[in-house]
């Protein structure tokens, strides 16, 4: 392969990861449309957001092994087709809630596959880069940029163009199909020797996840990753929609982009905070999440869109720091060959935070949202105490 082509061949793989993130997060401002314009109840809309998780987790779990056996390109391209079809179904759903559920489930499955197989493909295609770990950085930025761009673009389209529940979805369908065409000529990187039997894979994984530090330091902080993110861009914007009359969808997209943008920007700070003999980075990240939840509670209590933006900054910082610090802990405690599997399991634990909007919607009848957000902060404080207690123990 010519050098200039080799230098560019990672771009379509990065675009696939970007498209997966776009499709996953375009629903965030559309959920505001369902709530404010179509007047769908809060619990079904929160459930539609959460059902994405039921597709995502199998995709994360099986995307890597399938890509090892069938090839990265083949698996990613099939997942792109599924992602495009899921967005087309969402565009055609209209007032059918069941179609929205199916679309979200398929979107989650496609995203999970691409975020595993596509990330591995991108890292292998970037192996000739001059900078070490260039592939991992490219995957991180492609994922985060896709999450942010999908929400912001969908919010803008839903705000200022007709058919707010149709055009954003069709745009993602077109994007996924264009990326599908761009990946046609990208070389396959999987090798038969890369396939690892299930028994050693599971043995190494068990060795890592039963480590006391994984159980007492990494896991207590894991749900905070997407608890912080989803509270910022799913829960808070809809609660202050009356403060931005006529601009709720674009405000939701803006909050989403701000949250995820800050989350990407602060991840290098986690490297500086990280310390091999303590959980300093994790502790700082959890304090940031707790602070963001309390500011969010104040924003809802005061019905303040400005405080929602401030909470989004704090929660976005907590999201990025918690995610990065957890991955650095895993790199230290897991055997080298078990790091990818352990990282994916950690990722699955972090995605449990996606249940937060549904949990809040279900319990909203028992207490007002400011009290519920303060209760979440209290739960975070308990997890912080547990992590702090064991932060210097069971060092790898």
């Amino acid at each position: 392969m010519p050098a200039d082509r080799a230098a560019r061949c990672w771009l379509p793989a990065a675009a696939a990861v970007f498209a997966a993130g776009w499709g996953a997060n375009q629903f965030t401002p559309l959920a505001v449309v369902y709530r404010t314009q179509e007047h769908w109840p809060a619990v079904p809309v929160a459930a539609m957001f959460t059902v994405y998780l039921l597709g995502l987790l199998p995709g994360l779990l099986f995307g890597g092994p399938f890509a090892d056996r069938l090839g990265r390109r083949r698996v990613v391209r099939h997942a792109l087709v599924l992602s495009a079809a899921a967005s087309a179904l969402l565009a055609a759903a209209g007032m059918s809630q069941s179609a929205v559920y199916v679309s979200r489930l398929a979107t989650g499955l496609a995203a999970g596959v691409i975020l595993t197989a596509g990330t591995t493909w991108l890292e292998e295609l970037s192996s000739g880069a001059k900078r070490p770990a260039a592939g991992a950085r490219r995957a991180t930025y492609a994922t985060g940029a896709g999450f942010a761009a999908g929400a912001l673009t969908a919010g803008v389209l839903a705000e200022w163009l007709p058919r707010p529940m149709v055009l954003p979805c069709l745009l993602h369908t077109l994007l996924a199909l264009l990326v599908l065409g761009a990946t046609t000529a990208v070389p396959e990187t999987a090798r038969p020797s890369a396939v690892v039997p299930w028994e050693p894979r599971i043995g190494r994984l068990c060795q890592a996840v039963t480590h006391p530090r994984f159980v007492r330091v990494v896991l207590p902080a894991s749900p905070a990753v997407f608890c912080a993110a989803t509270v910022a861009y799913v829960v808070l914007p809809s609660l202050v929609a009356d403060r931005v009359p006529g601009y709720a969808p674009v405000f939701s997209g803006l909050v989403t982009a701000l949250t995820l943008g800050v989350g990407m920007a602060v991840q290098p700070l986690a490297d500086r905070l990280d310390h091999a003999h303590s959980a300093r980075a994790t502790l700082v990240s959890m304090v940031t999440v707790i602070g963001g939840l309390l500011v969010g509670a104040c924003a809802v209590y005061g019905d303040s869109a400005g405080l929602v933006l401030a909470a989004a900054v704090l929660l976005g910082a907590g999201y990025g720091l918690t995610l990065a610090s957890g991955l650095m802990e895993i790199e230290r405690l897991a055997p080298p060959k078990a790091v990818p599997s352990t990282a994916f399991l950690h990722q699955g634990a972090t995605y449990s935070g996606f249940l937060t909007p549904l949990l809040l919607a279900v319990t909203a009848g028992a207490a007002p949202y400011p009290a519920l957000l303060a209760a979440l902060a209290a739960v975070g404080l308990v997890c912080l105490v547990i992590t702090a207690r064991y932060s210097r123990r069971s060092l790898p």
Side-chain angles (χ1 to χ4, degrees), residues 12 16 19 73-74 76-81 84 174-185:
R73 181 174 61 188
R74 181 179 178 185
V76 168
R77 285 172 57 79
H78 278 79
L80 282 170
V81 172
L174 177 61
L175 172 66
L177 293 177
L178 289 174
V179 174
L180 178 68
T183 56
T184 303

Side-chain angles (χ1 to χ4, degrees), residues 202-379:
I202 293 174
R204 294 168 188 155
L205 181 61
C206 291
Q207 180 182 351
V209 300
T210 56
H211 194 287
R213 192 165 183 83
F214 184 86
V215 175
R216 297 168 181 170
V217 174
V218 177
L219 278 186
S222 296
V225 175
F226 284 103
C227 172
T230 55
V231 165
Y233 62 69
V234 178
V235 176
L236 296 181
S238 63
L239 295 177
V240 298
D242 61 309
R243 304 303 298 172
V244 285
Y247 296 96
V250 74
F251 179 71
S252 174
L254 175 63
V255 171
T256 304
L258 179 63
T259 303
L260 297 172
V262 171
M264 287 193 295
V266 301
Q267 289 190 26
L269 178 60
D271 290 329
R272 298 183 181 183
L273 293 172
D274 184 53
H275 194 279
H277 300 290
S278 73
R280 183 170 61 189
T282 300
L283 295 176
V284 170
S285 66
M286 294 180 73
V287 169
T288 307
V289 172
I290 293 170
L293 290 172
L294 293 176
V295 173
C298 293
V300 177
Y301 182 79
D303 198 21
S304 170
L307 279 180
V308 166
L309 294 175
V313 172
L314 280 173
L315 291 170
Y319 150 75
L321 291 174
T322 310
L323 179 61
S325 61
L327 292 175
M328 286 185 288
E329 287 282 354
I330 285 171
E331 288 177 357
R332 282 194 291 267
L333 65 88
K337 292 185 178 180
V339 167
S341 298
T342 311
F344 291 142
L345 182 64
H346 168 257
Q347 195 173 20
T350 66
Y351 277 111
S352 65
F354 267 97
L355 297 172
T356 305
L358 180 59
L359 176 65
L360 292 174
V362 170
T363 56
Y369 265 96
L372 294 175
L373 292 171
L376 271 183
V379 172

Side-chain angles (χ1 to χ4, degrees), residues 26-40 45-46 49 155 158-159 164-165 233-242 244 246-253 255-256:
Q26 68 178 345
F27 185 78
T28 303
L30 299 185
V32 176
V33 176
Y34 289 127
R35 290 281 291 118
T36 60
Q37 297 183 20
E38 303 302 327
H39 306 291
W40 287 10
V45 173
F49 184 87
E159 184 66 56
M165 295 181 295
Y233 62 69
V234 178
V235 176
L236 296 181
S238 63
L239 295 177
V240 298
D242 61 309
V244 285
Y247 296 96
V250 74
F251 179 71
S252 174
V255 171
T256 304

